[in-house]
């Protein structure tokens, strides 16, 4: 067992973990944060994407013990985030989800694309979403929803970084 | 699936990491970003007894901007290279490559040293660093040694990294102002492993030209005659394709089938065309 201290959605958490435990299983099973989903568990489907120190990461390919002294953000932690709020709205309006399994990670990935200004064209958005698999929608409405949210955010803060 | 049971330790220095590796014997495995290793553990293709986490070692995160080269610590991430957060010796080639390497959520954790250490035949960095004539600096019990990246990778997942050695950094020569680079990655989906890779670097002021094929059924494959042709500035597209084809045919140990040979020819041709002024 390895002791870690990690900040999850703004709260300090201390725990003693078997090193083999993935960040995803730590979040889901020990913290009850089940918005992080596990699809393939080898880094291909993207459903488990969370933020580690503000950057998107695969929580299935990240050992929980390697997150000692790090800050982790899951979909449950974006309540007050304006970009996620805009994305929620445009996903809703455009029917950009069906079963919802990929949606939390789609939102986190889309937020990162908007923040890094990589959501300026359909091509860019599709490239940026290549690591997130959706088996329901055919992506079209997801791409439209992200483009709309990016435009809206851009209007509010033209110099957004 | 889930990773098998394993022990984990995060050493405070490179020397401590090396001691741990030596003491652990065959059970010890260095982990940096873990973007291949943890996947392999989840698939039960790897089951090390002890993971030695080097991702935060300051020695391995160091970037030095020399007069004629840039040294990137082994644990510099693909995302740091993509974003230009570290010095770029390659006039944009390395950031351009990094942006095509897997997905952003992989690039934020995966490292250049990890890519070299694993030397997946379809990985980008072994090919790019060979094309840039970079060296890999290795740290072991008898001190440091350096090897040309073009010699470091010897085959599919095979390198000259010794059992008790850790990759410390890559030293990449700076290109001259008028150097040009070409890069083509052929794959069906953005971010996938390549079906064919081609990297071209031509730096007339240093008298240097090199064309390297990747995902080529083995170590990065230097196309020797094509490299010389690029230095001369080829004008005839048929001659260029012919030279690339004959370079590929010389590498008979790669056993390219007709489809693969065509794919590598197309990748290399397009990459060379990017450097022709």
């Amino acid at each position: 067992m390895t002791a870690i201290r990690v900040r999850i959605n703004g709260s300090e958490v201390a725990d003693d973990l078997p090193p083999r435990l993935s960040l995803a299983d730590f979040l889901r099973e020990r913290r009850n944060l089940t918005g992080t989903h596990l699809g393939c568990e080898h880094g291909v489907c993207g459903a488990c994407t969370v933020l580690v120190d503000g950057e998107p990461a695969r929580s299935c390919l990240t050992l929980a013990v390697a997150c000692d002294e790090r800050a982790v953000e899951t979909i449950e932690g974006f309540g007050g985030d304006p970009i996620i709020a805009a994305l929620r709205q445009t996903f809703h309006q455009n029917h950009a989800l069906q079963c919802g399994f990929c949606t939390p990670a789609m939102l986190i990935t889309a937020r990162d694309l908007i923040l890094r200004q990589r959501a300026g064209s359909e091509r860019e958005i599709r490239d940026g979403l290549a690591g997130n698999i959706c088996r329901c929608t055919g992506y079209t409405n997801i791409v439209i929803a992200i483009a709309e949210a990016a435009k809206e955010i851009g209007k509010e803060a033209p110099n957004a970084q | 699936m889930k990773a098998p049971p394993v022990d984990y330790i995060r050493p405070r220095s490179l020397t401590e990491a090396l001691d741990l590796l030596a003491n652990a014997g065959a059970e010890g495995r260095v982990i940096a970003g873990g973007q291949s290793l943890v996947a392999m553990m989840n698939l039960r293709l790897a089951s090390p007894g002890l993971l030695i986490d080097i991702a935060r070692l300051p020695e391995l995160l160091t970037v030095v901007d020399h007069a004629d080269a840039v040294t990137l610590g082994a644990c510099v991430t693909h995302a740091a290279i993509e974003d230009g957060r570290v010095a770029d010796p390659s006039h944009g080639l390395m950031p351009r490559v990094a942006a095509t390497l897997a997905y952003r959520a992989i690039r934020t954790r995966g490292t250049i040293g990890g890519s070299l250490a694993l030397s997946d035949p379809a990985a980008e960095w072994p090919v790019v660093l060979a094309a840039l004539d970079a060296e890999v600096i290795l740290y072991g019990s008898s001190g440091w040694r350096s090897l040309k990246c073009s010699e470091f990778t010897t085959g599919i997942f095979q390198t000259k990294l010794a059992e008790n050695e850790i990759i410390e950094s890559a030293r990449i020569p700076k290109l001259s102002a008028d150097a040009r680079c070409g890069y083509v990655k052929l794959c069906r989906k953005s971010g996938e492993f390549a079906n064919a890779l081609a990297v071209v670097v031509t730096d007339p002021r240093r008298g240097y030209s090199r064309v390297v094929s990747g995902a080529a059924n083995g170590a990065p494959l230097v196309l020797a005659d094509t490299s010389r042709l690029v230095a001369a500035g080829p004008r005839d597209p048929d001659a260029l394709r012919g030279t690339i084809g004959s370079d590929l045919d010389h590498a008979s140990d790669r056993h390219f089938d007709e489809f693969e040979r065509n794919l590598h020819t197309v990748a290399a041709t397009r990459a060379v065309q990017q450097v022709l002024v």
Side-chain angles (χ1 to χ4, degrees):
Chain A
M1 300 293 260
T2 303
I4 68 159
R5 297 184 72 83
V6 56
R7 181 172 281 272
I8 299 175
N9 298 334
S11 309
E12 277 301 331
V13 170
D15 210 336
D16 220 10
L17 303 175
R20 75 179 191 129
L21 190 72
S22 70
L23 175 60
D25 283 333
F26 172 60
L27 294 168
R28 288 178 56 81
E29 289 171 17
R30 297 208 177 211
R31 308 308 312 168
N32 207 24
L33 294 166
T34 51
T36 300
H37 294 163
L38 277 168
C40 72
E41 296 191 75
H42 62 276
V44 175
C45 79
C48 68
T49 305
V50 299
L51 299 185
V52 177
D53 282 353
E55 296 198 293
R58 296 281 201 249
S59 59
C60 76
L61 295 188
T62 304
L63 297 174
V65 291
C67 296
D68 185 31
E69 297 164 11
R70 298 289 191 238
V72 175
E73 241 47 72
T74 70
I75 193 64
E76 291 89 345
F78 288 103
D81 184 273
I83 301 179
I84 291 284
L87 285 163
R88 280 200 179 106
Q89 188 65 26
T90 58
F91 267 58
H92 174 72
Q93 284 161 348
N94 291 285
H95 193 70
L97 66 150
Q98 187 171 314
C99 83
F101 191 86
C102 70
T103 311
M106 283 287 179
L107 294 174
I108 290 174
T109 301
R111 178 182 176 274
D112 179 65
L113 291 177
I114 292 172
L115 277 173
R116 289 190 297 117
Q117 301 183 311
R118 294 289 192 281
S121 66
E122 183 188 337
R123 177 66 206 254
E124 247 183 359
I125 294 171
R126 284 185 182 274
D127 258 359
L129 286 184
N132 291 70
I133 291 175
C134 171
R135 291 302 192 210
C136 301
T137 63
Y139 303 98
T140 303
N141 291 349
I142 297 177
V143 174
I144 293 169
I146 295 172
E148 279 184 13
K151 224 167 150 183
E152 207 172 292
I153 295 290
K155 247 188 269 165
E156 280 168 21
N159 300 316
Q161 259 295 314
Chain B
M1 286 198 297
K2 312 296 182 190
V6 64
D7 289 327
Y8 172 90
I9 192 156
R10 202 164 59 236
R12 300 280 166 195
S13 71
L14 188 55
T15 319
E16 191 191 340
L18 202 63
D19 287 344
L20 287 164
L21 190 59
N23 292 334
E27 288 291 296
R29 193 80 184 257
V30 163
I31 183 167
Q35 298 302 285
S36 298
L37 181 54
V38 178
M40 285 158 70
M41 289 172 66
N42 287 355
L43 293 166
R44 303 286 173 122
L45 295 170
S47 53
L50 173 68
L51 290 176
I52 301 159
D53 186 349
I54 59 167
R56 300 187 204 181
L57 290 180
E59 298 99 313
L60 304 185
L61 291 165
T62 305
V63 175
V64 186
D65 194 351
H66 311 278
D68 60 342
V70 169
T71 301
L72 296 181
C75 291
V76 168
T77 63
H78 314 314
I81 296 170
E82 176 185 14
D83 296 348
R85 282 181 270 146
V86 295
D88 173 23
S90 70
H91 294 340
L93 173 67
M94 292 181 70
R96 187 173 149 204
V97 169
T100 70
L101 198 159
Y103 315 114
R104 181 70 184 184
I106 302 275
R107 299 198 287 269
T108 56
R109 301 190 66 79
T111 66
I112 189 165
S115 172
L116 279 174
L118 185 65
S119 279
D120 188 299
E124 286 82 358
W125 293 133
V127 183
V128 171
L129 294 179
L132 287 166
D133 201 28
E135 287 173 305
V136 57
I137 319 292
L138 309 172
Y139 182 58
S141 44
S142 46
W144 281 271
R145 66 177 178 130
S146 76
L147 287 171
K148 291 278 188 192
C149 289
S150 53
E151 291 160 14
F152 174 75
T153 303
T154 55
I156 296 173
F157 298 114
Q158 286 179 328
T159 70
K160 288 187 176 163
L161 186 67
E163 229 167 65
N164 294 334
E165 254 179 346
I166 293 175
I167 297 179
E168 190 217 41
S169 56
R171 184 185 163 96
I172 306 145
K174 281 185 181 171
L175 295 179
S176 314
D178 50 2
R180 297 178 64 85
C181 300
Y183 168 61
V184 170
K185 174 179 179 176
L186 296 181
C187 56
R188 293 183 58 174
K189 190 185 106 177
S190 305
E192 264 189 340
F193 272 119
N195 297 112
L197 279 172
V199 182
V200 181
V201 175
T202 177
D203 192 348
R205 203 179 296 179
R206 291 190 302 142
Y208 179 85
S209 277
R210 191 174 281 176
V211 181
V212 187
S213 287
N217 301 350
L221 179 64
V222 177
L223 306 183
D225 288 341
T226 310
S227 301
R228 279 188 282 274
L229 190 65
V230 166
R235 284 286 166 266
D236 177 1
D238 290 334
L240 173 63
R241 280 184 73 91
T243 307
I244 292 168
S246 94
D247 270 333
L248 292 170
D249 293 339
H250 276 134
S252 56
D253 60 323
R254 306 300 173 107
H255 305 291
F256 295 122
D257 62 29
E258 203 185 324
F259 175 74
E260 291 168 335
R261 184 182 182 277
N262 187 48
L263 215 53
H264 287 292
T265 306
V266 167
T269 305
R270 289 182 187 170
V272 171
Q273 280 163 350
Q274 290 174 9
V275 306
L276 299 180
V277 192

